[in-house]
C-alpha cells in the first residue's frame, strides 16, 4: 500500500483549557503537574481518600478472589505486604525529581512500597497538586456533549450519599491505572475444580498458604516474588509456565518448588494436570497472570474500543485519532520504566493541549496505528501485546524525548533497565534486589 505522507498537523493556537484528570496515582499526578505547568486549569478526580493509587497498600481483599464477579466490591491496589520495587530507585525517579534516599526512610536501592508512596506524597506536596484533587470522587461517566470533541461531561459520585453530579470539561486525561482488573488463565475443568483459586491481585501475605500444595501460574516479576514467599510456608509449590522449553523439574536450590508447562485441565478430584502429563493434587491455584485494561466510565460510541486487551485506536498509545487531543490516556505501555513513560507522555500531551506541539492530522494518526497493527500481525505478535514495549531499545521513549526537544536520554538508563530485567531470576534464586553488584553510581559513571 502506498501512503502519502503529507505532514498535516492539527492546527491549535496556544490556549488554557479546563482539564479533568481521572485518577491520582503516579500517572494522574504527573499529568496534573504538566497540565498545570502549561497554564491549564486542572481537576483530578480520585475515587479513594488517598493519592498514590497502586502504592497505597490495602490489606483488604475482594469478595471474589478471582475477580470475575462484576458486582464484587473492588479494592484498587494489588500491592502485597512484602513488595519491594523491581527497578533501582535511580531509574524510578522522575527526570527532574529524583527518588532520593531519605535518612528516616527506606534507604535500600530497591525500597519497599511504602517508600514509593512517600515519594509520590512528597511530589504532590512540593508541586501543590493536593489542592487539585477531589478525593472520594469516583468518575462513573465520561461522554462527549452532543458529539462535540472538546466538550466532555464528567459525571461522578461521592462515597457518602452516592449522589451523582456532572461538570463539563474541554479535555479529559484517563489515568485510572491498569493493575486492578484481573486476567485469569483458562483451562478445562476450572469451574468444577474443588480447591481455592485466587488471582495475585488478592494476594497480600503468605499465611493462607501454610502447609498447602499450591499451583502458581505465571512468570512475571510478581509471580517470582509470590513464588519465593509462598514456598517458605507451603508444603509444595508447582509453577506452571508458558515458555516453550519448560519441562517438569524440581528446582535445584529449593526443596519444595517444581516447574511444569501450562495446565492442560483440572479434575473434580482435585488433580491439576499439566501439558506434559505431569500432575499434582493441589489445594490452591494462584493466577499470577496479569491484568486487563478497564474503563467502565468511558462512552465514546465505539470510537475507542477494547479488543483482546488492546485499547484502540490510539496514536502512540496516548491519543485516539478522532478525539485527539481532547481525550488521552497516560501510562498504558508496559515492559518499560513506568515512571519515565508516564512523565514523557504527560509532558507531551500537556504541550499538545496548549498548542505548543502539534499532532499529525486524524488520517495520518490513524494510518500510523494501522501500520503498527499490520507490523504486529506480520511478525506474529498477538493483539493483546499492542501496548507491550517489547524490544530491547528505548525507541518509544526516545521518540517522545525527540518530540519534546529534550536532550537525549542518558545511555545508562536503557542499559540499567535491561540489566535489571535480566536479574529477575527465572529459577526462584536468591533475592536479586540485594545483589552486591548493584553499585548504581559505578553504572552511571560508566
Ligand atoms: P494507579 O497507581 O493504579 O492509579 C490509578 C488511580 O486512579 C488510583 O488512585 C485509583 O483509585 C484511581 N481511579 C481508578 N478509577 C477511577 C475512577 N473511576 N474515578 C476516579 N479515580 C479512579 N512500577 C515500577 O516502576 N516499579 C515497580 O517496582 C513496580 N511494581 C509494581 C508491583 C505491582 C504489584 C503492581 C500492580 C504494579 C507495579 N508497578 C511498578 C507499576 C505501577 O502500576 C506503576 O508504577 C504506577 O504506579 C502506575 O500508576 P497509575 O497512576 O497509572 O495507576
Amino acid at each position: 500500500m502506498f501512503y502519502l505522507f503529507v505532514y498535516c498537523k492539527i492546527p491549535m493556537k496556544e490556549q488554557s483549557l479546563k482539564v479533568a484528570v481521572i485518577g491520582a496515582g503516579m500517572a494522574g499526578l504527573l499529568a496534573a503537574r504538566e497540565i498545570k505547568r502549561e497554564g491549564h486549569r486542572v481537576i483530578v478526580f480520585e475515587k479513594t481518600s488517598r493519592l498514590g493509587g497502586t502504592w497505597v497498600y490495602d490489606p483488604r481483599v475482594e469478595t471474589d478472589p478471582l475477580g470475575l464477579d462484576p458486582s464484587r466490591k473492588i479494592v484498587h491496589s494489588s500491592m502485597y505486604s512484602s513488595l519491594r520495587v523491581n527497578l533501582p530507585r535511580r531509574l524510578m525517579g522522575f527526570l527532574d525529581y529524583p527518588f532520593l534516599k531519605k535518612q528516616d526512610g527506606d534507604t535500600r536501592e530497591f525500597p519497599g512500597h511504602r517508600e514509593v508512596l512517600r515519594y509520590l506524597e512528597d511530589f504532590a506536596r512540593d508541586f501543590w497538586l493536593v489542592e487539585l484533587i477531589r478525593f472520594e470522587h469516583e468518575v462513573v461517566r465520561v461522554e462527549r456533549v452532543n458529539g462535540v470533541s472538546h466538550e466532555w461531561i464528567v459525571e461522578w459520585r461521592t462515597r457518602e450519599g452516592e449522589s451523582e453530579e456532572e461538570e463539563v470539561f474541554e479535555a479529559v486525561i484517563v489515568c485510572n491505572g491498569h493493575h486492578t482488573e484481573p486476567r485469569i488463565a483458562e483451562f478445562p475443568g476450572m469451574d468444577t475444580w474443588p480447591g481455592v483459586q485466587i488471582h495475585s491481585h488478592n494476594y497480600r501475605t503468605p499465611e493462607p498458604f501454610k502447609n498447602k500444595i499450591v499451583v502458581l501460574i505465571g512468570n512475571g516479576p510478581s509471580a517470582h516474588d509470590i513464588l519465593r514467599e509462598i514456598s517458605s510456608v507451603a508444603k509444595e509449590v508447582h509453577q506452571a509456565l508458558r515458555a516453550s522449553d519448560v519441562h517438569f523439574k524440581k528446582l535445584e536450590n529449593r526443596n519444595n518448588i517444581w516447574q511444569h508447562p501450562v495446565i492442560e485441565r483440572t479434575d473434580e478430584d482435585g488433580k491439576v494436570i499439566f501439558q506434559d502429563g505431569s500432575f499434582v493434587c493441589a489445594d490452591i491455584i494462584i493466577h499470577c497472570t496479569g491484568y486487563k485494561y478497564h474503563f467502565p466510565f468511558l462512552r465514546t460510541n465505539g470510537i475507542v474500543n477494547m479488543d483482546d486487551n488492546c485499547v484502540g485506536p490510539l496514536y502512540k498509545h496516548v491519543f485516539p485519532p478522532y478525539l485527539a487531543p481532547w481525550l488521552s490516556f497516560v501510562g498504558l505501555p508496559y515492559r518499560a520504566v513506568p515512571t519515565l513513560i508516564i512523565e514523557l507522555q504527560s509532558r507531551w500531551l500537556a504541550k499538545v493541549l496548549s498548542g505548543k506541539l502539534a499532532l499529525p492530522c486524524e488520517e495520518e494518526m490513524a494510518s500510523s496505528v494501522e501500520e503498527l497493527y499490520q507490523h504486529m500481525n506480520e511478525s506474529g505478535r498477538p493483539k493483546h501485546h499492542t501496548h507491550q514495549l517489547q524490544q530491547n531499545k528505548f525507541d518509544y521513549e526516545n521518540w517522545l524525548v525527540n518530540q519534546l526537544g529534550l536532550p537525549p536520554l542518558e545511555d545508562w538508563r536503557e542499559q540499567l533497565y535491561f540489566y535489571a530485567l535480566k536479574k529477575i531470576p527465572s529459577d526462584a534464586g536468591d533475592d536479586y534486589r540485594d545483589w552486591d553488584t548493584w553499585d548504581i553510581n559505578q553504572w552511571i559513571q560508566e
Side-chain angles (χ1 to χ4, degrees), residues 136-147:
E136 301 195 329
H137 279 58
E138 179 180 5
V139 172
V140 292
R141 181 167 65 102
V142 170
E143 190 170 18
R144 284 192 298 172
V145 179
N146 302 325

Side-chain angles (χ1 to χ4, degrees), residues 22-39:
I22 302 172
M26 189 184 282
L29 293 173
L30 274 162
R33 181 185 69 161
E34 298 305 326
I35 292 292
K36 188 174 165 231
R37 270 182 170 169
E38 286 297 318

Side-chain angles (χ1 to χ4, degrees), residues 22-28 45-48 52-55 76 78-80 83 85-87 92 137-139 175-177 179 222 297 338:
I22 302 172
M26 189 184 282
F45 291 91
E46 169 51 53
K47 70 177 177 183
T48 71
T54 288
W55 299 98
H76 183 79
S78 304
M79 267 307 124
Y80 31 95
L83 185 131
V85 297
N86 55 31
L87 294 173
M92 279 186 65
H137 279 58
E138 179 180 5
V139 172
C175 302
N176 66 328
H179 292 106
S222 292
F297 47 81

Side-chain angles (χ1 to χ4, degrees), residues 263-288:
I263 296 176
E264 187 176 272
R265 64 170 205 278
T266 48
D267 284 352
E268 284 182 38
D269 61 3
K271 250 192 231 125
V272 178
I273 299 117
F274 302 92
Q275 226 163 41
D276 61 354
S278 59
F279 67 89
V280 61
C281 281
D283 304 301
I284 307 179
I285 298 177
I286 175 163
H287 297 241
C288 302

Side-chain angles (χ1 to χ4, degrees), residues 88-306:
R89 63 192 304 150
R90 198 68 70 99
L91 264 182
M92 279 186 65
F94 307 147
L95 293 172
D96 60 356
Y97 192 83
F99 188 10
L100 298 174
K101 298 180 183 182
K102 298 211 163 151
Q103 286 293 322
D104 58 341
D106 180 345
T107 56
R108 293 173 293 181
E109 192 54 50
F110 291 75
H113 56 83
R114 282 174 193 83
E115 185 76 0
V116 183
L117 179 60
R118 186 177 160 184
Y119 169 69
L120 293 176
E121 286 170 343
D122 290 350
F123 174 76
R125 184 203 55 220
D126 292 350
F127 287 95
W128 305 93
L129 303 176
V130 184
E131 45 267 54
L132 306 178
I133 305 172
R134 290 188 189 166
F135 289 104
E136 301 195 329
H137 279 58
E138 179 180 5
V139 172
V140 292
R141 181 167 65 102
V142 170
E143 190 170 18
R144 284 192 298 172
V145 179
N146 302 325
V148 179
S149 275
H150 58 280
E151 283 184 24
W152 292 86
I153 298 172
V154 174
E155 184 179 331
W156 68 86
R157 65 172 166 235
T158 50
R159 294 268 140 160
E160 306 112 67
E162 299 284 312
S163 63
E164 292 187 0
E165 291 176 62
E166 60 183 52
E167 200 169 321
V168 174
F169 291 83
E170 287 155 294
V172 175
I173 307 175
V174 179
C175 302
N176 66 328
H178 52 90
H179 292 106
T180 297
E181 192 69 15
R183 191 171 54 202
I184 57 162
E186 287 180 13
F187 39 82
M190 70 181 293
D191 294 340
T192 50
W193 190 70
V196 173
Q197 294 190 59
I198 78 161
H199 186 276
S200 55
H201 174 61
N202 290 307
Y203 175 82
R204 297 291 178 271
T205 60
E207 282 76 40
F209 297 82
K210 197 167 177 192
N211 298 327
K212 303 285 188 212
I213 299 180
V214 183
V215 172
L216 179 147
I217 310 171
N219 197 22
S222 292
H224 287 289
D225 280 350
I226 295 172
L227 178 73
R228 263 196 304 275
E229 192 161 80
I230 287 178
S231 69
S232 66
V233 299
K235 193 167 165 195
E236 296 175 11
V237 186
H238 296 262
Q239 184 184 16
L241 301 137
R242 187 168 292 286
S244 55
D245 56 346
V246 174
H247 50 89
F248 175 50
K249 69 168 186 193
K250 187 173 183 193
L251 290 193
E252 269 174 24
N253 49 352
R254 302 288 165 142
N255 58 13
N256 66 345
I257 305 180
W258 285 261
Q259 277 186 348
H260 304 256
V262 292
I263 296 176
E264 187 176 272
R265 64 170 205 278
T266 48
D267 284 352
E268 284 182 38
D269 61 3
K271 250 192 231 125
V272 178
I273 299 117
F274 302 92
Q275 226 163 41
D276 61 354
S278 59
F279 67 89
V280 61
C281 281
D283 304 301
I284 307 179
I285 298 177
I286 175 163
H287 297 241
C288 302
T289 38
Y291 296 87
K292 293 191 275 200
Y293 297 105
H294 192 52
F295 310 103
F297 47 81
L298 197 56
R299 299 192 200 159
T300 63
N301 270 332
I303 296 178
V304 182
N305 289 299
M306 287 284 306

